[in-house]
């Protein structure tokens, strides 16, 4: 099975038990809109932590019905994130969501050694895109957490992502490891890592997926382009997951897809005790809603 559009996520979460979601630093218009919609749709039971007065004002201005909603008043942003992470650590809820707080502030709390959400695995970010010009959803990793992953990190990032895609119903997701070129160039580390990951996959050291690389972006997503260059690959033109060389390339691709290609996006952090909805502050309410669905599908 592969997902063709973001609306397919609803089918995956339908019938699953409702999940408790904690929104940290909840005084954020788009996050509140998304959370309340997912609450209405019976996907989640929300708990909001943040500045109660601002939350109530945003909800009143937007005509959101919040009667019966649990709101914990904590006006200090850092404290509200800490409180949220501690709730997840003590298993009082199932999903963490970032509200009006910087990504690295939230991630530092998540990585706290005493009360964070570590599991001993590497945590990584995955984003799912619906782009009009591609025939199915395409996942991209890591565009927001791991800054400059080495080969060991990339193995963990692929394993996190593949386990997640397997959970969504993909039996053997096709993974393209990106470089600037499709040939191994000893001066380009990304191409060396890509070749090693492909060989590890062939030898069954990385399972439940088909990996090919290095592939340049065009070969990964266009069969015609791959054929033109004489590349024979099971992955080329039919990629389910793009593995990025580093955060800069990944983040620029993310923003280009959203702003230039008007792609829909949903994104979460994998590998922690619980799924974490971690979207960019500039992401739309729809992107935040789809990310909640994605986290519910993952938990
Ligand atoms: N998974 C598990 N443990 C990790 C991870 C990870 N991905 N990253 C770091 N750790 C552990 C380390 O092993 C160490 O024990 C501790 O956490 C601290 O590690 P540092 O010193 O390397 O990391 P920090 O605390 O300085 O920063 C961690 C961040 C995740 C905050 C940092 O990597 C970061 O800022 N990432 C980019 C976030 C961002 O700005 N994204 C914006 C794009 S939208």
């Amino acid at each position: 099975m592969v997902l063709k559009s973001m609306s397919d996520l609803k089918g995956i979460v339908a019938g699953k038990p409702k999940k408790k979601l904690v929104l940290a630093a909840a005084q954020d218009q788009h996050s509140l809109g998304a959370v309340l919609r997912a609450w209405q749709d019976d996907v989640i039971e929300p708990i909001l932590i943040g500045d109660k007065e601002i939350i109530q004002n945003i909800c009143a201005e937007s005509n959101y019905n919040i009667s019966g909603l649990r709101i914990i008043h904590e006006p200090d942003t850092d404290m509200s994130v800490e409180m949220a992470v501690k709730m997840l650590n003590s298993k009082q809820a199932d999903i963490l969501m970032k509200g009006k707080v910087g990504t690295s502030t939230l991630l530092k709390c998540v990585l706290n050694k005493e009360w964070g959400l570590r599991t001993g695995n590497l945590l990584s970010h995955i984003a799912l895109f619906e782009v009009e010009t591609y025939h199915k959803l395409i996942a991209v990793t890591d565009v927001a957490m791991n800054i400059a992953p080495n080969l060991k990190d990339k193995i963990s990032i692929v394993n996190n992502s593949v386990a997640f895609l397997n959970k969504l119903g993909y039996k053997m997701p096709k993974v393209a490891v990106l470089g600037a070129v499709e040939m191994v160039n000893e001066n380009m580390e990304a191409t060396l890592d890509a070749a090693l990951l492909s060989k590890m996959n062939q030898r069954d050291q990385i399972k439940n997926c088909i990996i090919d690389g290095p592939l340049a972006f065009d070969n990964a997503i266009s069969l015609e382009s791959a054929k033109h260059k004489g590349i024979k690959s099971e992955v080329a033109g039919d990629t389910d997951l793009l593995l990025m060389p580093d955060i800069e390339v990944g983040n620029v691709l993310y923003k280009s897809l959203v702003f230039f290609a008007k792609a829909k996006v949903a994104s979460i952090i994998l590998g922690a005790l619980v799924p974490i909805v971690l979207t960019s502050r500039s992401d739309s309410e729809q992107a935040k809603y789809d990310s909640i669905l994605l986290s519910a599908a993952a938990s």
Side-chain angles (χ1 to χ4, degrees):
M1 193 206 65
V2 295
L3 299 173
K4 297 243 159 111
S5 80
M6 226 39 111
S7 52
D8 292 345
L9 289 175
K10 272 219 149 160
I12 295 182
V13 298
K16 280 194 165 211
K18 222 193 287 187
K19 302 285 165 17
K20 271 195 184 151
L21 178 145
V22 182
L23 177 60
Q27 55 279 5
D28 175 67
Q29 169 89 48
H30 286 165
S31 304
L32 281 169
V35 164
L36 296 176
R37 195 172 138 205
W39 183 35
Q40 245 171 24
D41 291 352
D42 261 349
V43 176
I44 54 156
E45 185 70 47
I47 302 163
L48 309 182
I49 307 181
D51 190 310
K52 197 167 184 174
E53 202 182 316
I54 303 178
I55 294 169
Q56 284 170 334
N57 287 344
I58 295 174
C59 292
E61 276 166 26
S62 308
N63 278 326
Y64 297 145
N65 179 0
I66 54 168
S67 59
L69 189 65
R70 188 168 164 206
I71 306 176
I72 300 171
H73 179 59
E74 179 46 78
D76 182 86
T77 302
D78 288 357
M79 287 305 295
S80 82
V81 176
E82 183 174 328
M83 193 186 285
V85 169
K86 283 179 172 167
M87 276 182 96
L88 272 304
N89 174 290
S90 58
K91 306 213 167 15
Q92 294 174 60
D94 311 294
I95 298 169
L96 173 66
M97 178 165 172
K98 173 175 99 78
K100 200 169 187 173
V101 55
T103 298
S104 64
T105 305
L106 183 110
L107 290 178
K108 278 174 196 274
C109 274
V110 165
L111 291 172
N112 183 285
K113 286 187 177 135
E114 282 166 50
W115 42 260
L117 306 174
R118 288 168 177 251
T119 54
N121 296 328
L122 191 84
L123 275 60
S124 60
H125 181 271
I126 190 166
L128 217 56
F129 293 91
E130 181 184 327
V131 197
E132 231 177 66
T133 45
Y134 198 60
H135 56 286
K136 56 183 171 180
L137 295 189
I138 190 158
V140 183
T141 187
D142 179 325
V143 309
M145 181 157 194
N146 291 285
I147 295 173
N150 59 22
L151 178 65
K152 196 169 167 224
D153 298 335
K154 286 178 185 175
I155 295 167
S156 300
I157 293 170
V158 170
N159 282 331
N160 277 351
S161 309
V162 167
F164 175 61
L165 290 171
N166 291 154
K167 208 167 184 178
L168 291 185
Y170 291 69
K171 282 214 168 77
M172 290 292 272
K174 295 179 181 176
V175 183
V177 186
L178 289 189
V181 288
E182 55 285 338
M183 296 299 170
V184 174
N185 177 327
E186 58 273 41
N187 295 317
M188 294 183 187
E189 208 179 320
T191 67
L192 297 170
D193 288 351
L196 290 167
L197 290 164
S198 303
K199 184 51 80 180
M200 290 178 79
N201 177 240
Q202 277 176 18
R203 293 283 184 268
D204 232 11
Q205 286 175 273
I206 303 175
K207 298 183 205 302
N208 303 324
C209 61
I210 304 168
I211 303 181
D212 197 12
L215 287 170
F217 183 73
D218 53 339
N219 320 138
I221 54 127
S222 156
L223 187 57
E224 206 185 326
S225 164
K227 276 187 182 159
H228 190 69
K229 286 199 174 155
I231 297 165
K232 292 189 191 82
S233 163
E234 267 186 274
V235 173
D238 198 31
T239 299
D240 295 303
L241 173 70
L242 290 167
L243 179 70
M244 294 292 127
D246 60 37
I247 197 169
E248 275 90 6
V249 181
N251 207 266
V252 171
L253 177 64
Y254 182 134
K255 303 273 161 70
S256 322
L257 288 173
V258 171
F259 285 89
F260 277 161
K262 303 293 171 209
K264 288 186 183 163
V265 62
S267 52
I268 59 172
I269 294 281
L270 303 170
L273 267 182
V274 295
I276 303 165
V277 178
L278 193 134
T279 52
S280 170
R281 265 174 286 184
S282 60
D283 279 330
S284 64
E285 182 178 312
Q286 182 67 41
K288 290 178 196 293
Y289 174 79
D290 287 333
S291 303
I292 293 172
L293 292 186
L294 202 60
S295 66
S299 68

